[in-house]
Amino acid sequence: MRIAILGAGSLGTVIGAYIAEGGQDVELIDVYEAHVQALNEKGAKIIGTTEMTAKVKAVTPEKMTGVYDLVLLLTKQLYNDSVLTNLLPFLHDSSVVCSLQNGIPESKIAEIVGCERVIAGAVEFGATFTEPGVSELTTEYNRFKQYAFQIGELNGEKTARIQKIQEVLALVGGTHISENLVGTKWSKLLINNAFSGLSAAMNTTYGGVLDNEISVRSAAHIIDETIKVGHANGITFAKMNDFDIASLEIREADDIEQHIKTLRVIIEPARLLKASMLQDLEKKRKTEIDFINGVVPQLAKGIATPYNDLVVAIVKQAEQEGSLPDFDTTVLALAELNNK
């Protein structure tokens, strides 16, 4: 099987290192030439909660050749039209494109590459790009090896190809097949909305969100908004790490205190994670906020989404100004919502 990792940034570097170490024919593809050069010359180096270096092959997109049997898609949704159109000549009839992007982009991907080629999944670990060729694993190592991915067919069937891809991704970490792929993606979206969104809007790590009473309470409200909007759109949320994520819906006012305690337990292994959207703001790049927190108000069907709305507004303002959000200013804005 010839494998491509399209978008070999922080996550792709980790994934590529383990797949290459497992003896697979894998090519890491990224537009950052210095990163590609470092990967080829020094290997893919992982630091953080573990340390390893693996010899890999990396290319920039214009140097892609031949066809790929499996493409792990890790580019940002902002660029899907051009990235996927450019990918088409490198696919054969039975090629599989596995979307590991944040959000719920699968229908758009299917429009371009064909529904029969698309499977999807959720990445359940975090990493931070530190320098060309080096990625920091920020999820606790044992959790990473137990829960790295959920993947599935768009129709929920457990096919031979999904089982084969499970074997490949298991070289990285625990890979679980979901029979409710849409629910899986919404469950990942929910966590991203709460912690990636607030990480970007507060200029902090997941741990920074957890440790502040106002922000962790706001995270619980963001989750509640996402669950309610998901249910309004007919979504059955899938479990994540064997946890019933939909149980975090706020049904009674007293629920939120227990939900905060639960969040502090389930997110603790990822406390070192810095959202990729915050990393984009640091580099003065456009973020995926419209495809993360922005999805909830877009699909709200009359449901109020003030917490997601606020996160979108703060991140978009930072994009426009080319600045980073101020932690204390965001906390004050969240406190105003908490007190309403």
Side-chain angles (χ1 to χ4, degrees):
M1 179 184 290
R2 187 166 187 245
I3 303 166
I5 296 177
L6 189 52
S10 57
L11 295 173
T13 298
V14 174
I15 295 167
Y18 278 101
I19 292 178
E21 189 77 0
Q24 297 292 313
D25 179 9
V26 60
E27 195 165 76
L28 283 68
I29 304 164
D30 201 84
V31 296
Y32 187 10
E33 291 187 4
H35 181 46
V36 168
Q37 182 177 352
L39 289 170
N40 285 322
E41 293 179 354
K42 301 178 182 179
K45 183 176 181 179
I46 304 172
I47 61 174
T49 58
T50 190
E51 291 191 7
M52 71 165 290
T53 301
K55 184 177 180 180
V56 298
K57 179 183 178 182
V59 298
T60 51
E62 66 272 13
K63 293 185 178 179
M64 294 164 60
T65 59
V67 293
Y68 301 102
D69 302 301
L70 171 63
V71 178
L72 303 177
L73 183 65
L74 285 153
T75 50
K76 295 185 184 301
Q77 286 191 60
L78 293 165
Y79 312 114
N80 272 2
D81 283 341
S82 60
V83 165
L84 294 170
T85 300
N86 291 339
L87 176 64
L88 287 174
F90 304 98
L91 302 177
H92 56 72
D93 290 345
S94 300
S95 295
V96 177
V97 177
C98 178
S99 166
L100 295 173
Q101 294 178 321
N102 290 324
I104 44 177
E106 284 68 39
S107 60
K108 178 64 175 179
I109 295 170
E111 286 178 11
I112 299 174
V113 305
C115 185
E116 70 285 350
R117 283 179 168 146
V118 180
I119 68 166
V123 179
E124 299 187 341
F125 67 92
T128 300
F129 184 88
T130 59
E131 63 181 274
V134 184
S135 185
E136 179 185 3
L137 181 67
T138 52
T139 299
E140 191 272 325
Y141 180 74
N142 290 333
R143 174 63 68 89
F144 161 66
K145 296 308 290 185
Q146 186 176 6
Y147 298 106
F149 305 98
Q150 282 197 59
I151 59 171
E153 296 280 1
L154 297 183
N155 61 8
E157 292 182 7
K158 193 171 184 178
T159 60
R161 72 174 183 177
I162 203 71
Q163 291 173 305
K164 179 62 177 177
I165 293 165
Q166 179 189 34
E167 293 175 7
V168 171
L169 292 179
L171 296 170
V172 181
T175 302
H176 307 272
I177 295 175
S178 172
E179 295 180 4
N180 174 17
L181 180 70
V182 174
T184 295
K185 296 294 285 190
W186 271 82
S187 293
K188 177 65 185 298
L189 175 69
L190 177 156
I191 296 297
N192 278 335
N193 286 353
F195 288 92
S196 292
L198 284 173
S199 171
M202 298 176 69
N203 187 18
T204 191
T205 61
Y206 279 29
V209 176
L210 283 178
D211 293 342
N212 182 276
E213 291 297 327
I214 292 170
S215 61
V216 73
R217 183 173 295 271
S218 300
H221 282 292
I222 289 171
I223 286 170
D224 177 64
E225 290 177 5
T226 306
I227 292 171
K228 286 180 167 58
V229 170
H231 286 164
N233 284 272
I235 301 301
T236 300
F237 286 83
K239 290 183 177 181
M240 294 198 75
N241 301 350
D242 292 329
F243 174 70
D244 180 9
I245 207 84
S247 68
L248 293 174
E249 182 177 6
I250 301 171
R251 300 176 187 273
E252 304 288 343
D254 293 343
D255 289 348
I256 193 167
E257 302 303 331
Q258 182 56 51
H259 292 349
I260 289 171
K261 292 179 182 178
T262 300
L263 287 174
R264 284 189 161 132
V265 172
I266 65 176
I267 302 299
E268 179 63 26
R271 70 160 32 251
L272 298 177
L273 182 58
K274 179 195 292 185
S276 61
M277 290 190 293
L278 177 54
Q279 295 176 59
D280 287 335
L281 291 177
E282 290 173 339
K283 297 169 185 173
K284 301 187 186 303
R285 295 176 180 169
K286 189 173 175 61
T287 73
E288 290 187 292
I289 193 67
D290 286 331
F291 303 102
I292 309 299
N293 295 82
V295 168
V296 178
Q298 289 168 21
L299 300 176
K301 296 188 175 181
I303 295 168
T305 59
Y307 285 88
N308 279 286
D309 293 339
L310 178 60
V311 168
V312 171
I314 291 170
V315 174
K316 280 186 170 291
Q317 181 178 352
E319 283 181 354
Q320 292 166 3
E321 295 176 353
S323 63
L324 292 173
D326 177 71
F327 182 94
D328 292 333
T329 301
T330 299
V331 168
L332 286 174
L334 292 170
E336 289 182 10
L337 276 183
N338 281 194
N339 292 329
K340 286 184 178 178

